[in-house]
């Protein structure tokens, strides 16, 4: 509309057919997604209100899994299909107030989101309902937030923030009882938690304090921050009701889960010199009511469940860019997380080990060429036994390292040819994080691809 105003309307459609899932009990013959989004932005308004941003969206997802369209079923009488839908409507409005140079910048806003999920599992051999997986789940979340940014003096900056969220969750079909032996969601909740689904409401508070101090000699800054953030349980953690032929095959959400509260301390440094750049960060996070996926530890009843525990997570990241000259540069990096279930004094499952990457790049005229080594140390902090822990880790994952080569050629400012070879020496390796399936509790560690090559032509117009 004018140089200070922008309006954007977008529609995105995704159509996926015949998607195979390695290590899973089902594949996906269909997965569709449609997203409609409207954005509005007006800046340099003048007066008390400096800028306004708004973003509204509607997303609809339809997904089908089955065990017979794309593979031979284990039994002709066990033709299982799991259709699911997830529809999300939401929006956010952010208003910038005040003069950032003189008084600091206030930013206030509101965001809302509603997510509705339905999923069942049916036996297509006899048409009978086997399980109500997401029993008409409806989760509403409304958040109010305010942030304050101020430059204290020439070398120091301060940021503070506060957030409030009102969350309501409900499962309208929790009493739906499949015919025969299968159990309704409420019957499953009663077995494992002694409760049934009712309307759940939360009032969650979060906040942030952050300080930045300029390092003039290094053209960078130090920072330290302390924060409290709250995450409510999602539809699967709170309401999933996947029955099974055996109790060990059941996967049941917990309607009484408390929200997860993280209290985190961060410190770090950012330096940008002409020849090199450095980013380093350390964090310590004490979590109350960590939402733990676990097992129900009773003889002959080892279902997958959820419960709250206290946890501690700590770790850090290091990233260094070094320019050897006008054409050569290298970029090594490290990342590590240590996660402990303090309530049960054991490692938390599905935490990656020490990971590293190192690149060497060469740029000359229209050519960019490079190679990288990436890998991970052996992960020995695991939770592999479903009878004493969660069993979510398939094994202690061996250390691995692979070499990739890549490059690009720029025909002009708008057209680029990219090419590369990943896993040059065809190493057999697996990431520590397992394959996971929305409705199948079985944990399987799937190897990454062997040697693979790609070519991509990209043009902008």
């Amino acid at each position: 509309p004018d140089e200070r105003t922008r309006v954007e309307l977008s529609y995105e459609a995704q159509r996926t057919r015949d998607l195979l899932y390695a290590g899973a009990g089902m594949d996906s013959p269909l997965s569709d997604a449609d997203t409609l989004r409207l954005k509005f932005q007006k800046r340099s308004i003048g007066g008390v209100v400096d800028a306004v941003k708004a973003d509204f969206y509607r997303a609809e997802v339809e997904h089908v899994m089955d065990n017979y369209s794309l593979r031979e079923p284990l039994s002709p009488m066990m033709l299982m299909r799991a259709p699911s839908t997830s529809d999300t409507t939401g929006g956010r409005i952010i208003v910038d107030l005040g003069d950032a140079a003189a008084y600091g910048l206030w930013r206030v806003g509101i965001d809302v989101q509603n997510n509705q999920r339905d999923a069942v599992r049916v036996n297509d051999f006899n048409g009978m309902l086997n399980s109500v997986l997401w029993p008409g789940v409806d989760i509403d979340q409304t958040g109010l937030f305010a942030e304050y940014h101020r430059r204290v003096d020439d070398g120091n900056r301060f940021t503070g923030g506060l957030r409030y969220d009102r969350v309501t969750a409900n499962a309208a079909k929790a009493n739906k009882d499949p015919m025969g032996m299968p159990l309704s969601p409420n019957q499953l909740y009663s077995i494992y938690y002694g409760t049934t689904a009712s309307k759940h409401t939360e009032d969650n508070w979060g906040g942030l304090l952050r300080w930045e101090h300029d390092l003039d000699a290094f053209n960078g800054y130090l920072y330290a921050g302390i924060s409290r953030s709250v995450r409510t349980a999602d539809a699967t953690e709170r309401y999933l009701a996947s029955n099974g032929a055996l109790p060990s095959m059941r996967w049941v959400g917990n309607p009484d889960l408390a929200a997860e509260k993280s209290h985190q301390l961060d410190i770090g440094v950012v330096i940008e010199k002409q020849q090199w750049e450095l980013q380093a960060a350390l964090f310590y996070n004490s979590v109350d009511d960590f939402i733990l996926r676990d097992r129900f530890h009773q003889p002959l009843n080892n279902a997958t469940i959820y419960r709250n525990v206290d946890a501690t997570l700590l770790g850090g990241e290091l990233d260094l860019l070094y320019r050897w000259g006008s054409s050569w540069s290298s970029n090594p990096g490290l990342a590590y997380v240590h996660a402990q279930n303090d309530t049960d004094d054991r490692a938390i499952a599905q935490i990656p080990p020490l990971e590293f990457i190192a690149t060497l790049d060469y740029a000359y005229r229209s050519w960019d060429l490079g190679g990288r080594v990436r890998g991970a140390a052996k992960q020995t902090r695991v939770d592999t036994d479903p009878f004493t822990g969660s069993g979510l880790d398939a094994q202690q994952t061996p250390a691995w390292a692979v070499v990739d080569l890549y490059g690009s050629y720029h025909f002009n400012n708008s057209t680029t040819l990219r090419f590369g070879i990943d896993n040059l020496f065809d190493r057999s390796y697996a990431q520590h994080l397992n394959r996971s399936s929305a409705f199948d509790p079985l944990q399987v560690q799937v190897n990454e691809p062997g040697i693979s090559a790609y070519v991509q032509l990209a043009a902008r117009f």
Side-chain angles (χ1 to χ4, degrees):
D2 58 54
E3 62 181 10
R4 296 178 300 172
T5 307
R6 179 179 177 87
V7 179
E8 179 180 334
L9 178 66
S10 64
Y11 170 71
E12 178 179 327
Q14 176 180 304
R15 301 291 182 264
T16 305
R17 298 293 182 268
D18 299 345
L19 185 61
L20 305 179
Y21 282 82
M26 291 183 171
D27 300 309
S28 178
L30 178 148
S31 183
D32 293 345
D34 297 89
T35 303
L36 182 66
R37 186 179 294 272
L38 175 64
K39 293 182 179 181
F40 171 84
Q41 178 179 346
K42 192 172 185 66
R43 55 185 176 82
S44 302
I45 298 175
V48 177
V49 177
D50 183 63
V52 175
K53 296 180 181 178
D55 183 1
F56 305 98
Y57 58 89
R58 168 71 176 179
E60 298 179 353
V61 177
E62 179 183 5
H63 187 77
V64 178
M65 301 285 288
D66 71 38
N67 67 350
Y68 59 86
S69 294
L70 305 173
R71 65 173 72 185
E72 284 292 327
L74 296 177
S75 167
M77 293 183 293
M78 295 294 291
L79 305 181
M80 308 305 293
R81 177 171 55 90
S84 62
T85 61
S86 178
D87 300 330
T88 307
T89 304
R92 168 179 284 201
I93 299 175
I94 302 175
V95 179
D96 289 343
L97 305 172
D99 184 342
Y103 307 106
L105 172 66
W106 276 98
R107 173 170 290 169
V108 297
I110 179 173
D111 54 27
V112 296
Q113 183 183 90
N114 171 263
N115 178 246
Q116 298 176 335
R117 293 192 182 191
D118 271 289
V120 296
R121 185 169 59 231
V122 297
N123 188 332
D124 277 349
F125 175 76
N126 54 26
M128 293 183 63
L129 177 63
N130 174 270
S131 210
V132 183
L133 300 172
W134 285 328
V137 178
D138 191 318
I139 300 179
D140 273 301
Q141 184 164 337
T142 300
L144 302 172
F145 56 90
E147 298 176 2
Y148 178 66
H149 306 267
R150 180 175 177 83
R151 179 173 285 276
V152 179
D153 53 37
D154 289 341
N156 295 282
R157 296 175 298 281
F158 168 80
T159 299
L162 187 65
R163 181 180 178 94
Y164 165 75
D165 285 283
R166 175 79 167 183
V167 181
T168 60
N170 195 30
K173 301 177 183 178
N175 278 320
K176 189 171 183 179
D177 191 1
M179 294 178 60
M181 292 298 292
L183 301 171
S184 71
N186 271 337
Q187 288 172 320
L188 288 168
Y189 304 149
S190 181
I191 290 173
Y192 296 103
Y193 309 107
T195 188
T196 56
S198 59
K199 188 175 182 179
H200 178 88
T201 302
E202 293 175 356
D203 295 288
N204 298 327
W205 291 90
L208 166 72
L209 295 173
R210 178 183 169 98
W211 190 273
E212 296 182 1
H213 174 72
D214 289 336
L215 301 172
D216 295 333
F218 294 97
N219 189 29
Y221 61 92
L222 294 169
Y223 67 85
I226 186 170
S227 65
R228 170 187 165 94
S229 58
V230 183
R231 183 183 75 84
T232 191
D234 64 23
T236 295
E237 294 164 335
R238 190 175 298 284
Y239 292 123
L240 184 68
S242 177
N243 200 6
L246 298 173
S248 62
M249 299 173 64
R250 292 173 181 165
W251 188 356
V252 185
N254 184 351
D256 288 343
L257 280 175
E260 189 175 277
K261 279 83 68 175
S262 296
H263 308 90
Q264 183 159 311
L265 173 66
D266 298 271
I267 58 173
V269 60
V270 177
I271 298 175
E272 297 182 3
K273 302 289 285 185
Q274 183 175 359
Q275 193 172 10
W276 57 276
E277 299 176 12
L278 173 69
Q279 295 187 41
L282 296 172
F283 76 89
Y284 174 85
N285 187 6
S286 176
V287 187
D288 296 335
D289 296 318
F290 181 90
I291 298 175
L292 180 74
R293 179 175 161 182
D294 205 357
R295 288 282 189 165
F296 192 69
H297 298 139
Q298 276 192 3
L300 304 178
N301 194 348
N302 201 220
T304 296
I305 61 167
Y306 291 93
R307 61 189 180 94
N308 292 115
V309 299
D310 293 332
T312 301
L313 292 85
L314 53 92
E317 295 182 352
L318 176 66
D319 186 81
L320 173 65
L321 173 64
Y322 190 83
R323 302 177 184 88
W324 300 93
S326 59
S327 298
W328 291 92
S329 64
S330 55
N331 188 190
L334 294 171
Y336 178 70
V337 178
H338 176 101
Q340 180 74 8
N341 174 350
D342 297 326
T343 299
D344 303 313
D345 192 25
R346 68 175 190 242
I348 293 176
Q350 291 296 275
I351 301 297
L354 175 68
E355 298 179 322
F356 62 89
I357 187 171
T359 66
L360 180 63
D361 295 290
Y362 175 77
Y364 179 72
R365 294 184 178 177
S366 299
W367 290 94
D368 291 308
L369 302 172
R372 62 175 164 255
V373 178
R374 54 188 173 89
K378 181 178 181 179
Q379 179 56 292
T380 58
R381 288 183 48 79
V382 294
D383 184 358
T384 57
D385 190 344
F387 299 103
T388 59
S390 71
L392 290 178
D393 291 325
Q395 63 177 17
Q396 291 191 11
T397 305
W400 59 271
V402 297
V403 176
D404 305 326
L405 300 178
Y406 52 86
S408 63
Y409 180 79
H410 305 277
F411 294 97
N412 49 49
N413 290 334
S414 61
T415 306
T416 302
L417 179 70
R418 298 183 179 91
F419 49 88
I421 299 176
D422 289 341
N423 195 356
L424 178 64
F425 300 109
D426 200 24
R427 299 292 189 187
S428 177
Y429 74 101
Q431 301 278 0
H432 179 66
L433 303 187
N434 298 338
R435 173 213 62 81
S436 60
S437 172
F439 308 123
D440 180 2
L442 181 65
Q443 296 301 301
V444 178
Q445 193 173 70
V446 178
N447 280 352
E448 296 299 311
I451 185 171
S452 57
Y454 62 90
V455 177
Q456 179 190 70
L457 182 65
R460 299 180 60 188
F461 52 89

